[in-house]
Amino acid sequence: MKTMDRLLLLVIAGVLAGTYYFTNSHVPSPVEQKSVSVVGVGEASATPDQLTITFSIAQTGATTQAAQKLVNQNIETLRKGLSELGVSEQLKTEAFRTSPDYDREDWDRVSLGYQTEATYSIKLAGADFEKKGNQILQLLPEIWNVEVDSTVYGLSSLDKPKLEAREKAFENAKMQAEQIAKLSGKKLGKVLAISADSMDRDYERSYYPMAMMAKSSVAELADETTEVVSAGEEKISAQLEVIFALE
């Protein structure tokens, strides 16, 4: 019995020793972080360098020809004013339509004739595009039945602000990564990867008031110093995800 007891004790001791070795040899050791991933954001501003003014003219006549003639007369008057401003060639016809015009009287539909509505646009660019835009917006009220649909500013090229925003986004990402490296007791290493960036546009400008002042002549418009519409600025933002090595 003593021999059997000894053998049993040896077996139990062997099993316990094997279990201890297996358990301790498979405990995962802390993984040393060798990189850091951050998201940087950058923003750049740019002043629009072009302006598109869209407006509509509507006239009603007894016949389609009469309505169209009234619209054409309005356009000829406008062309003369635009010619004096040096922008008549920028006038573009966007739409031209004629349809029956009706009114309601005591639940009955009464014919008023025909209405012709024409939509035009003027695209301005160059050093004085904003000044000419103001002059045109003050010239339009002199034309009967004119409605300004929109004044849209834009950039002829987004290349420069995009580059600036992207550079600022990278600098922002690097600043974050350097702080994290310092907090972890490491040094910031080289760039391991950069993700595809995303770009956003945020347009801020003063909108054109619909109550427009009429001027008696283009000469008076040229002397006008009060701004009716301002270009404002367009903001371009970029976002980059950058992975840096930690040393």
Side-chain angles (χ1 to χ4, degrees):
M1 290 293 296
K2 291 182 178 180
T3 303
M4 293 295 294
D5 290 341
R6 289 176 181 175
L7 290 173
L8 182 60
L9 288 173
L10 289 173
V11 171
I12 294 174
V15 171
L16 291 174
T19 302
Y20 176 82
Y21 173 78
F22 178 82
T23 301
N24 284 275
S25 62
H26 287 78
V27 172
S29 59
V31 178
E32 183 179 7
Q33 186 171 342
K34 296 183 179 180
S35 65
V36 60
S37 176
V38 291
V39 176
V41 178
E43 186 178 87
S45 298
T47 301
D49 56 2
Q50 58 187 22
L51 167 66
T52 301
I53 301 173
T54 304
F55 60 95
S56 300
I57 299 176
Q59 293 286 8
T60 300
T63 63
T64 58
Q65 292 82 359
Q68 292 173 5
K69 183 179 180 179
L70 290 172
V71 170
N72 290 333
Q73 289 174 350
N74 288 156
I75 288 301
E76 286 305 312
T77 302
L78 178 60
R79 285 186 186 278
K80 292 178 182 179
L82 294 177
S83 179
E84 293 183 48
L85 293 174
V87 295
S88 59
E89 294 181 356
Q90 279 89 333
L91 184 64
K92 178 183 177 182
T93 304
E94 300 292 344
F96 197 94
R97 52 192 171 274
T98 301
S99 59
D101 191 16
Y102 296 97
D103 195 8
R104 292 283 183 179
E105 291 184 6
D106 298 329
W107 302 98
D108 293 328
R109 191 170 69 167
V110 179
S111 175
L112 298 178
Y114 294 86
Q115 184 183 73
T116 294
E117 183 177 357
T119 302
Y120 300 89
S121 67
I122 303 174
K123 188 172 184 179
L124 304 170
D128 60 347
F129 81 98
E130 198 170 358
K131 177 182 177 181
K132 288 184 177 180
N134 287 315
Q135 294 172 345
I136 291 171
L137 289 173
Q138 294 179 69
L139 176 65
L140 288 175
E142 297 182 5
I143 312 300
W144 186 252
N145 284 354
V146 172
E147 181 177 348
V148 177
D149 300 321
S150 64
T151 56
V152 180
Y153 283 92
L155 293 169
S156 57
S157 175
L158 292 173
D159 292 342
K160 186 176 180 180
K162 277 186 175 181
L163 288 174
E164 184 181 348
R166 197 174 288 121
E167 288 174 357
K168 289 182 177 180
F170 180 81
E171 291 301 320
N172 178 256
K174 185 178 180 181
M175 180 182 67
Q176 296 180 60
E178 286 176 340
Q179 183 187 38
I180 294 173
K182 183 178 180 180
L183 292 173
S184 60
K186 296 180 178 295
K187 291 183 179 180
L188 191 66
K190 64 180 182 179
V191 175
L192 299 178
I194 300 181
S195 71
D197 61 332
S198 62
M199 306 291 294
D200 290 316
R201 298 172 66 178
D202 182 16
Y203 187 46
E204 297 180 355
R205 69 172 176 87
S206 301
Y207 285 90
Y208 170 68
M210 294 310 295
M212 300 181 288
M213 298 185 300
K215 296 296 176 180
S216 59
S217 67
V218 173
E220 189 176 354
L221 287 173
D223 294 334
E224 180 61 49
T225 57
T226 303
E227 282 196 7
V228 179
V229 62
S230 175
E233 64 179 15
E234 188 165 345
K235 295 181 180 179
I236 310 296
S237 60
Q239 182 172 298
L240 290 175
E241 183 177 358
V242 188
I243 301 177
F244 292 90
L246 292 178
E247 300 174 349

